[in-house]
Amino acid sequence: MTEIENYSSNSMRWDPGQGDEEFDAGNNSSKLFERSRIKALADERELVQKKTFQKWVNSHLIRVNCKINDLYVDLRDGKMLMKLLEVLSGERLPRPTKGKMRIHCLENVDKALTFLHEQRVHLENMGAHDIVDGSSRLTLGLIWTIILRFQIQDIMIEEVDNSETKSAKDALLLWCQMKTAGYPNVNVRNFTTSWRDGLAFNAIIHKHRPDLVQYDKMSKSTPIQNLESAFTTAEDKLGLTSLLDADDVNVDLPDEKSIITYVVTYYHYFSKMHADSVQGKRIGKVIDNAVSTENSIDEYENLTSDLLEWIEQTIVILKDRQFANSLTGVQQQLAAFNTYRIVEKPPKFDEKGNLEVSLFTIQSKMRANNQRVYLPREGRLISDINKAWEKLEKAEHERELALREELIRQEKLEQLAARFDRKAGMRETWLSENQRLVSQDNFGADLSAVEAATKKHEAIETDINAYE
């Protein structure tokens, strides 16, 4: 066999051992690359989480004038961790142990973990020594657990269509979907890729504060600009700490926990804004009701004073007994009295009834608003008005009787005067006739005529004596 044939034969022969080694070498290389890539992504994600969580911690510690510079280092003594929990819970934790030795740090962290346990926070495979030793994974896990407990756990949204109540992450996602519904190029399906272009952040801000964001001028093709605009607006105009950087979000797969941590600050801010708005409206309504009630009370008192004053003045007029000294004058006074009863009095009677309704309405509103019920002062009570009205009715009745009596008297006087005038006329006619007879000096030409004249004069004299 020649050397070429021998090389060919050897080349064509399959050696199992040699083939497996070459395959394993290639497979191991691929696995190493994948592992290194996964580790790089994990390190990158851990770095983003650390930065986000550290900013989140500082956004709450600032309320007690504290700050951490390194999440893994500055929580190790437990003091900052205890302050953070006090700020978030509003409760007082046991006083931290003084000292910087490991045992002191363990005691403080244990106090914080014990408090979380009392808050029914489950901490699996985590002890005080893990935080004191600065374990990055467990420190991030602890902060995330705290965020879940104090920022996300209480989020509850009820769906209108099926009355199903969602909680925590699903509720927050649903809230985001509700607030961004209808916005172009926004489709919130998760807390990772749905936020990469920044439009969802801007949409939420625009939904609540359209004066801060010009959403119609934004483009999906400028994600960094969109993200920076949203983060800057939220921090400068709303006071929300920018927990994320644009470069942290504009990646293939943003960190879910970091996105949730930041988005939940939007939820709490705008929910509080809505609650404050509702509370403001309620307070405004209470104030409006109080002002309205106060105005109604003032109006009641003014109308009561006016009505009582009118009653008093009217009673004085009705008690006046200086009537006109003529039938026509009394008739005019009676006509004026009837006008008072038909025209002037009925509106005042309506006012009296309206005052009763007004007082009842005022007192009912005050009872409904748990206010001290208004009671008119003495002399302004409904009973006082009724008593005054009774006096008015009495004076009115007496006035009518007096007018009727005076009218009858004047009518009698009128009749007497008419009778006198008739009789006076008759006497005047008689006197004129007799005066004419007496004044005649022609007694006749003969004795019989003179005798007749004499008898007339005697008759006239007798008649005159009879009248005397």
Side-chain angles (χ1 to χ4, degrees):
M1 184 180 291
T2 62
E3 290 182 5
I4 295 176
E5 289 174 340
N6 187 34
Y7 175 79
S8 299
S9 177
N10 292 333
S11 299
M12 295 298 294
R13 189 181 297 118
W14 178 64
D15 187 348
Q18 181 181 356
D20 288 342
E21 289 177 359
E22 292 176 356
F23 178 78
D24 288 342
N27 192 30
N28 289 336
S29 176
S30 176
K31 288 181 178 180
L32 287 174
F33 174 77
E34 186 66 23
R35 287 173 182 172
S36 63
R37 181 172 177 275
I38 292 174
K39 186 177 185 306
L41 290 174
D43 291 343
E44 182 180 346
R45 184 163 298 177
E46 181 181 314
L47 184 62
V48 172
Q49 283 186 12
K50 178 186 178 184
K51 181 168 57 176
T52 302
F53 290 176
Q54 182 170 310
K55 289 181 179 179
W56 178 84
V57 170
N58 282 329
S59 70
H60 292 283
L61 287 178
I62 194 173
R63 291 160 58 181
V64 289
N65 298 319
C66 293
K67 180 182 179 180
I68 61 172
N69 297 312
D70 190 305
L71 187 68
Y72 302 152
V73 175
D74 295 342
L75 297 183
R76 294 172 67 175
D77 63 1
K79 294 179 181 179
M80 287 297 180
L81 186 58
M82 293 177 70
K83 287 185 178 180
L84 175 64
L85 293 175
E86 287 183 338
V87 170
L88 292 172
S89 66
E91 299 182 21
R92 294 288 297 177
L93 272 71
R95 292 177 62 87
T97 303
K98 294 182 179 181
K100 298 182 179 180
M101 298 178 60
R102 178 178 174 83
I103 185 63
H104 301 142
C105 297
L106 288 171
E107 286 183 10
N108 290 332
V109 173
D110 189 63
K111 290 176 182 178
L113 298 183
T114 300
F115 174 78
L116 288 173
H117 179 73
E118 293 172 352
Q119 297 291 316
R120 297 182 180 179
V121 176
H122 180 62
L123 301 171
E124 187 175 357
N125 297 326
M126 182 184 299
H129 62 279
D130 296 312
I131 308 303
V132 174
D133 292 339
S135 170
S136 59
R137 183 177 65 83
L138 292 177
T139 300
L140 292 175
L142 175 61
I143 299 301
W144 174 244
T145 302
I146 293 173
I147 293 172
L148 288 176
R149 170 60 183 85
F150 293 101
Q151 296 279 280
I152 302 176
Q153 179 176 306
D154 295 333
I155 298 177
M156 301 287 287
I157 296 179
E158 183 175 306
E159 293 187 272
V160 179
D161 54 353
N162 57 12
S163 298
E164 178 186 351
T165 301
K166 295 180 178 293
S167 61
K169 176 183 169 183
D170 291 337
L172 182 62
L173 182 63
L174 177 59
W175 179 82
C176 295
Q177 292 169 344
M178 293 167 58
K179 298 303 178 182
T180 59
Y183 281 87
N185 299 318
V186 178
N187 182 18
V188 179
R189 293 173 286 106
N190 52 49
F191 286 108
T192 54
T193 55
S194 297
W195 304 83
R196 287 187 304 184
D197 56 19
L199 293 178
F201 291 109
N202 284 284
I204 292 177
I205 297 174
H206 183 270
K207 178 69 176 180
H208 297 89
R209 291 288 304 274
D211 57 309
L212 299 181
V213 176
Q214 293 181 315
Y215 188 84
D216 55 340
K217 294 184 178 180
M218 292 189 169
S219 172
K220 193 177 182 66
S221 61
T222 56
I224 295 294
Q225 181 179 341
N226 298 339
L227 290 165
E228 290 178 346
S229 175
F231 298 162
T232 302
T233 300
E235 186 161 26
D236 295 344
K237 303 298 183 181
L238 306 179
L240 300 179
T241 303
S242 182
L243 304 182
L244 301 172
D245 293 330
D247 294 335
D248 298 334
V249 183
N250 186 33
V251 294
D252 292 338
L253 188 65
D255 179 59
E256 182 181 57
K257 293 179 180 178
S258 298
I259 298 289
I260 291 176
T261 302
Y262 184 52
V263 171
V264 80
T265 62
Y266 281 53
Y267 169 83
H268 286 295
Y269 178 85
F270 290 121
S271 295
K272 184 178 184 299
M273 186 180 78
H274 175 71
D276 291 344
S277 175
V278 172
Q279 185 67 15
K281 290 179 180 178
R282 289 176 180 171
I283 294 174
K285 186 176 180 180
V286 170
I287 294 174
D288 290 342
N289 287 336
V291 171
S292 176
T293 301
E294 197 66 31
N295 291 337
S296 298
I297 291 174
D298 291 340
E299 183 180 10
Y300 170 84
E301 292 185 345
N302 291 333
L303 290 175
T304 301
S305 298
D306 293 343
L307 181 60
L308 289 173
E309 183 178 355
W310 176 85
I311 292 174
E312 185 178 350
Q313 293 175 352
T314 304
I315 289 176
V316 173
I317 295 172
L318 292 174
K319 286 184 175 182
D320 182 20
R321 295 296 183 266
Q322 294 181 357
F323 300 124
N325 194 24
S326 67
L327 178 61
T328 303
V330 174
Q331 287 174 337
Q332 290 176 349
Q333 287 179 319
L334 185 59
F337 175 76
N338 289 330
T339 300
Y340 147 78
R341 296 182 72 177
I342 297 172
V343 177
E344 185 179 358
K345 181 184 176 184
K348 297 300 180 181
F349 181 78
D350 292 339
E351 284 184 20
K352 185 175 84 73
N354 291 337
L355 283 173
E356 294 182 19
V357 174
S358 177
L359 181 59
F360 176 78
T361 302
I362 291 171
Q363 292 176 338
S364 297
K365 285 184 177 180
M366 297 183 80
R367 288 191 187 96
N369 295 327
N370 294 322
Q371 293 177 298
R372 184 179 178 182
V373 177
Y374 163 74
L375 289 175
R377 66 180 185 274
E378 193 69 28
R380 295 293 183 269
L381 298 168
I382 295 297
S383 58
D384 297 324
I385 298 174
N386 290 332
K387 289 178 182 178
W389 195 265
E390 289 175 2
K391 292 180 180 179
L392 176 69
E393 296 277 5
K394 181 180 179 182
E396 179 184 315
H397 177 67
E398 292 174 350
R399 172 78 172 182
E400 182 179 17
L401 292 177
L403 279 171
R404 297 291 181 190
E405 291 176 0
E406 182 64 19
L407 181 65
I408 292 172
R409 191 178 75 85
Q410 290 294 337
E411 286 176 344
K412 289 180 179 179
L413 289 174
E414 192 76 14
Q415 291 172 0
L416 290 173
R419 187 183 303 170
F420 174 80
D421 288 342
R422 287 196 304 273
K423 288 184 177 181
M426 292 172 62
R427 292 295 176 264
E428 188 174 355
T429 302
W430 178 83
L431 285 172
S432 298
E433 181 62 23
N434 287 323
Q435 186 176 7
R436 183 183 64 79
L437 293 174
V438 171
S439 62
Q440 289 180 357
D441 53 1
N442 183 11
F443 301 112
D446 51 21
L447 179 60
S448 60
V450 172
E451 288 178 350
T454 301
K455 288 180 179 181
K456 281 186 178 181
H457 280 82
E458 289 176 352
I460 290 171
E461 185 178 358
T462 302
D463 200 8
I464 290 173
N465 291 330
Y467 276 104
E468 289 180 353

